[in-house]
Amino acid sequence: MKAIRNIQYGAMVFFGLLLGTSCSGLLDEPLENQQIAEGTDYTQTQNMVLMLYGAYNQLYDFGWEIYPSISVRGDDIDIGGRGDQPLFALADSFRYDRNFWAMNSAWTGLYGDLIYWQGAIEEIQKYQEAGANGTTAQQYIAEIKVLQGFEMLQLARMWGRILIPQSSEPSALLDVELSSFEEVMQYVSARMDEAIPLLPDMRPNQRSDVRGGVTRYTALAVKAIANLELKNYPAVAEATGQIISSGLFSLEPDFYHLFKLRGKLNNENLLELQYSDYGTATGTSNKYLWDFFGPTSWTPTRDGASGGWGFWEPSMKYIQFMLDRGERERLETTVIFTPDGITDVRNAYPNAPSWISNATPDGDVFNNSVRTKFYSGKHYLPSAMLTEGRTAYGENKNFTCIRYAEVLLMHAEALTSGATSSVMTADAAVNAVRNRVGLGPLSGVTLDQVLDEKFAEFAGEWGIRFYDVVRHDQTAELSYGGRTYDATTSRFYPYPLEQQDVLPQLREGN
């Protein structure tokens, strides 16, 4: 966030060099970095908190190209953006190109964060050695470990074998061996175990020092995700069971508004990227670049509201899946239709319901586009909700990363995969999510029903669908619409060519 970025971080400034800079350039500057770090007066212990603010700022500066790289490969999403970024379209079809700039940018962006955060940990340790409160210092370090764990998950899910940074010196990566996908997940789980007892015992939105900041339940959720990838289902049930039994979290009653302003710092959220225009018509506005998801042509209810690039298209496969289930609330929230999209739906599904429209519940009208026939409703903020005087697409909207519905359905997935729990049954967990959107209860829930519920609930969110079907060997679902998934070549991205030129470990890694 710009307001935080303007704070003078002293020793932390050099870590910002990672952003927008090639790894090869950084490797030439370690001595300069060290000299800057030596200029900090660590006896000014009141400045230690700036390291934490900087760490959260780094998370909120999440590059727009990282999310689609994480999320595009499932059968819930098609890339959209027809006629532009052909290498992105190839990635959506499991035909990867090492030269694709967005993959390289995702790699450098995530590693920039990990190394920055490692530097923040080292700086906090120096403040503690100089007399800062030890309990506070260890909490700050634990919070940063959770941020590292969340992004390390994303790196390993994309590339499989990755490098785990142990130093804030970028050049130290040259001496790090590749860790396997399983080793990374074990490492993340262990780091969460280190962090959990040191973190606040509350919801993120209950924190008064850093509103929306990490708590022990965020760490438990990250631990659960890591163990889900390891198929360590008892550990998943145990971690999610702790979150559920806390009684602190609840599902937002209105699924549609969960992804609008009401979703900011919601009781359902365990981790979110926070943004704000501070309620003012002009001046500082810290925002995610939602333009990627926005319409190339629309008629907003708010005059002057900007559109976007039309790159993120919910799939027809998902739409038909939801229509077959008789769902409205989650479909209407997840998918925004254009007139051409409606025509395609009615041609493929003659009994499509009459409520399907190119006008959203808030009155914005989405017009035809050469780039896409459907838009993402989860990444849309109604123009009427923009602060007066603000015009950027989605401005003032937060980006949710982990929510309680995912915790419930991970719990159900673990139980239907062989784990046990005295906290909640799989039926109860699934039915809590279904009840929110007016669906009837299920009895004797199976794994396939859990995965279907996750498909319906999380379409377009953080690649959850792709990782689910891969984990449970249901990848036939990914071969559709001309795509062919090959388990030997499609699971992980190849390392970016630019990174292979810098890091010799990657040349034989995949």
Side-chain angles (χ1 to χ4, degrees):
M1 296 169 63
K2 293 180 182 177
I4 296 174
R5 191 182 300 117
N6 290 334
I7 297 173
Q8 296 300 310
Y9 295 126
M12 289 305 299
V13 170
F14 76 87
F15 294 107
L17 292 169
L18 277 164
L19 299 181
T21 308
S22 71
C23 188
S24 59
L26 286 166
L27 297 180
D28 296 331
E29 300 175 343
L31 293 179
E32 178 184 353
N33 291 348
Q34 183 62 34
Q35 290 166 357
I36 294 173
E38 290 173 354
T40 300
D41 181 0
Y42 296 102
T43 65
Q44 300 296 311
T45 56
Q46 71 275 11
N47 291 334
M48 182 173 69
V49 71
L50 301 184
M51 304 301 104
L52 184 66
Y53 293 160
Y56 281 109
N57 173 65
Q58 195 75 7
L59 175 69
Y60 302 155
D61 270 345
F62 199 81
W64 68 265
E65 69 280 5
I66 300 175
Y67 181 79
S69 297
I70 293 168
S71 308
V72 73
R73 294 181 291 169
D75 56 343
D76 52 337
I77 289 294
D78 295 337
I79 186 56
R82 295 176 181 86
D84 196 353
Q85 298 299 328
L87 295 186
F88 219 156
L90 288 178
D92 182 37
S93 299
F94 312 115
R95 292 175 288 168
Y96 308 136
D97 192 317
R98 294 182 189 273
N99 291 294
F100 185 29
W101 69 269
M103 288 185 190
N104 185 65
S105 186
W107 175 281
T108 57
L110 291 170
Y111 269 104
D113 288 351
L114 293 180
I115 292 173
Y116 182 106
W117 288 328
Q118 190 60 37
I121 288 173
E122 293 169 9
E123 295 300 294
I124 290 168
Q125 289 169 335
K126 292 174 184 177
Y127 277 106
Q128 183 178 352
E129 291 167 0
N133 182 278
T135 300
T136 303
Q138 290 306 304
Q139 178 187 316
Y140 291 173
I141 289 171
E143 291 182 53
I144 295 169
K145 285 181 178 179
V146 176
L147 304 184
Q148 288 179 315
F150 176 72
E151 291 203 358
M152 209 171 289
L153 279 170
Q154 312 311 325
L155 273 164
R157 279 176 153 183
M158 285 190 283
W159 281 285
R161 301 174 68 206
I162 64 168
L163 305 170
I164 299 177
Q166 302 294 336
S167 167
S168 61
E169 287 287 354
S171 59
L173 283 178
L174 291 168
D175 300 318
V176 176
E177 294 183 1
L178 285 167
S179 295
S180 70
F181 178 79
E182 292 75 18
E183 288 169 339
V184 176
M185 296 303 158
Q186 291 164 356
Y187 177 83
V188 170
S189 181
R191 295 275 279 188
M192 296 309 99
D193 283 337
E194 295 171 5
I196 288 164
L198 303 171
L199 293 167
D201 185 1
M202 60 184 69
R203 284 192 313 271
N205 67 0
Q206 290 177 312
R207 289 188 60 173
S208 58
D209 54 344
V210 181
R211 284 274 285 166
V214 162
T215 73
R216 66 179 54 184
Y217 301 103
T218 317
L220 282 163
V222 172
K223 178 182 177 179
I225 296 169
N227 281 282
L228 202 64
E229 294 293 6
L230 290 168
K231 301 183 182 180
N232 183 356
Y233 297 116
V236 176
E238 189 275 334
T240 54
Q242 286 192 53
I243 299 170
I244 294 166
S245 62
S246 74
L248 291 171
F249 296 88
S250 58
L251 298 175
E252 161 59 41
D254 190 314
F255 189 74
Y256 176 81
H257 282 285
L258 176 62
F259 300 93
K260 309 300 181 276
L261 293 183
R262 194 185 303 172
K264 298 183 73 168
L265 296 175
N266 196 277
N267 288 353
E268 184 168 340
N269 298 343
L270 286 90
L271 181 65
E272 61 193 288
L273 311 182
Q274 297 187 61
Y275 306 100
S276 181
D277 60 15
Y278 306 98
T280 61
T282 59
T284 298
S285 178
N286 303 301
K287 57 183 181 291
Y288 185 83
L289 190 64
W290 297 104
D291 305 44
F292 178 85
F293 305 98
T296 59
S297 176
W298 70 328
T299 307
T301 61
R302 175 75 60 82
D303 289 342
S306 300
W309 308 340
F311 267 105
W312 202 241
E313 183 177 66
S315 70
M316 176 69 81
K317 186 174 186 287
Y318 172 76
I319 293 168
Q320 291 183 283
F321 169 78
M322 295 297 279
L323 291 174
D324 287 342
R325 288 167 60 91
E327 293 220 27
R328 176 171 180 173
E329 187 170 352
R330 286 192 290 201
L331 177 56
E332 194 170 34
T333 297
T334 304
V335 180
I336 299 174
F337 300 85
T338 68
D340 284 347
I342 293 171
T343 298
D344 283 359
V345 169
R346 297 203 182 282
N347 286 338
Y349 203 98
N351 296 322
S354 60
W355 60 259
I356 294 178
S357 168
N358 67 320
T360 70
D362 282 279
D364 294 318
V365 176
F366 282 65
N367 304 319
N368 285 331
S369 170
V370 296
R371 288 195 164 188
T372 185
K373 294 185 178 182
F374 310 104
Y375 290 98
S376 173
K378 289 179 175 177
H379 303 99
Y380 149 75
L381 183 70
S383 64
M385 293 186 186
L386 291 170
T387 300
E388 191 68 39
R390 302 291 185 175
T391 61
Y393 190 76
E395 191 166 4
N396 199 36
K397 174 178 166 61
N398 282 2
F399 203 142
T400 305
C401 304
I402 306 174
R403 50 193 181 89
Y404 186 54
E406 185 175 2
V407 171
L408 290 170
L409 294 182
M410 283 194 292
H411 192 74
E413 181 179 345
L415 299 187
T416 55
S417 299
T420 60
S421 171
S422 61
V423 173
M424 178 179 280
T425 66
D427 285 2
V430 169
N431 288 332
V433 175
R434 289 172 61 83
N435 181 66
R436 189 239 301 266
V437 293
L439 297 180
L442 300 177
S443 178
V445 167
T446 65
L447 174 62
D448 285 345
Q449 288 175 313
V450 172
L451 296 182
D452 280 352
E453 204 63 40
K454 293 183 77 175
F455 190 18
E457 178 78 12
F458 301 116
E461 296 183 56
W462 293 97
I464 292 173
R465 171 62 174 176
F466 175 79
Y467 304 119
D468 280 353
V469 296
V470 168
R471 182 167 57 255
H472 291 287
D473 298 318
Q474 297 187 9
T475 53
E477 296 287 348
L478 302 174
S479 297
Y480 74 100
R483 300 162 179 78
T484 301
Y485 180 89
D486 182 336
T488 61
T489 59
S490 301
R491 172 62 184 91
F492 298 116
Y493 290 136
Y495 297 124
L497 185 60
E498 187 172 338
Q499 301 309 312
Q500 289 185 308
D501 289 342
V502 176
L503 296 164
Q505 309 96 306
L506 305 186
R507 293 169 197 163
E508 298 179 2
N510 73 359

